[in-house]
Amino acid sequence: MKDTSELETILARIDALESDRAIRACINRYMDLCDHLNPATPLDELGDLFTEDAKWEGKGARYAKSFGGYQGRDAIVSMLAKYTVEPAHFSLNVHYLSSEVIRVDGDQASGSWNMIQVSSFSAGGSHLNSARLSVSFRRDDGVWRMAHFETENLFSRPVSDWNDDATLPVPK
């Protein structure tokens, strides 16, 4: 009996580690796709990162008003597709995730991150945003997908342009 119990414990620990890695890969792929929203964005791949019944919502006064909420994979993809017009909404968009915490419990998991987003817009202007992400994940047909994505603004402000043609200062 002891050997079976130890083996089950080891297998559960391996599954949790592999799940943690897969969840991290899922959120990072989402951010990478969001960094490159344009007419060539693979919306089917973006949608596949979410469960069919997923929920995506902006939380707090600023993000609830700006983004609202969306129920279901198709609604989430339709919302994100609005950013893939020509010219692309973003001329520069980069998300940085930090302070990661992932908790796996069988086929359910939750994760939280602090996020910094630097953006410049094709229409002009640049912005700095910080948000707290709270994301629930579910293993769906053996694949970890987002089931509930919440983003809550911590701060936002316009900034001068992020990208400049000025020469980089490097030692000679």
Side-chain angles (χ1 to χ4, degrees):
M1 276 302 218
K2 184 176 180 183
D3 290 336
T4 302
S5 178
E6 284 182 74
L7 179 58
E8 288 172 357
T9 300
I10 291 169
L11 292 174
R13 291 177 69 192
I14 290 170
D15 181 64
L17 289 168
E18 289 177 346
S19 295
D20 184 271
R21 187 190 64 65
I23 289 164
R24 187 176 295 109
C26 178
I27 193 76
N28 279 290
R29 184 61 181 146
Y30 173 73
M31 291 299 162
D32 184 52
L33 289 168
C34 287
D35 286 347
H36 301 95
L37 289 171
N38 62 55
T41 300
L43 293 174
D44 55 339
E45 181 184 354
L46 186 57
D48 199 42
L49 297 171
F50 292 90
T51 61
E52 284 286 339
D53 62 345
K55 186 174 185 178
W56 192 106
E57 60 184 322
K59 301 294 282 187
R62 178 172 277 170
Y63 275 13
K65 180 180 178 184
S66 295
F67 298 117
Y70 302 87
Q71 182 70 50
R73 179 186 288 163
D74 292 341
I76 294 166
V77 170
S78 291
M79 177 269 296
L80 293 168
K82 293 177 186 176
Y83 293 87
T84 65
V85 296
E86 186 64 50
H89 178 72
F90 296 106
S91 59
L92 171 77
N93 196 37
V94 183
H95 293 83
Y96 299 92
L97 298 180
S98 67
S99 304
E100 175 181 87
V101 176
I102 297 173
R103 292 181 182 88
V104 177
D105 184 14
D107 289 337
Q108 307 287 323
S110 63
S112 63
W113 293 265
N114 288 334
M115 180 191 77
I116 295 282
Q117 179 183 3
V118 297
S119 303
S120 291
F121 307 99
S122 295
S126 295
H127 220 102
L128 171 65
N129 294 303
S130 178
R132 180 75 171 163
L133 304 181
S134 299
V135 186
S136 297
F137 296 83
R138 186 170 68 233
R139 193 174 353 216
D140 182 26
D141 291 327
V143 177
W144 284 100
R145 293 184 170 92
M146 291 179 277
H148 190 179
F149 182 96
E150 295 177 316
T151 179
E152 183 172 6
N153 182 258
L154 299 175
F155 67 83
S156 293
R157 61 168 287 132
V159 296
S160 61
D161 194 22
W162 289 109
N163 202 12
D164 194 312
D165 291 333
T167 304
L168 294 175
V170 295
K172 299 226 182 232

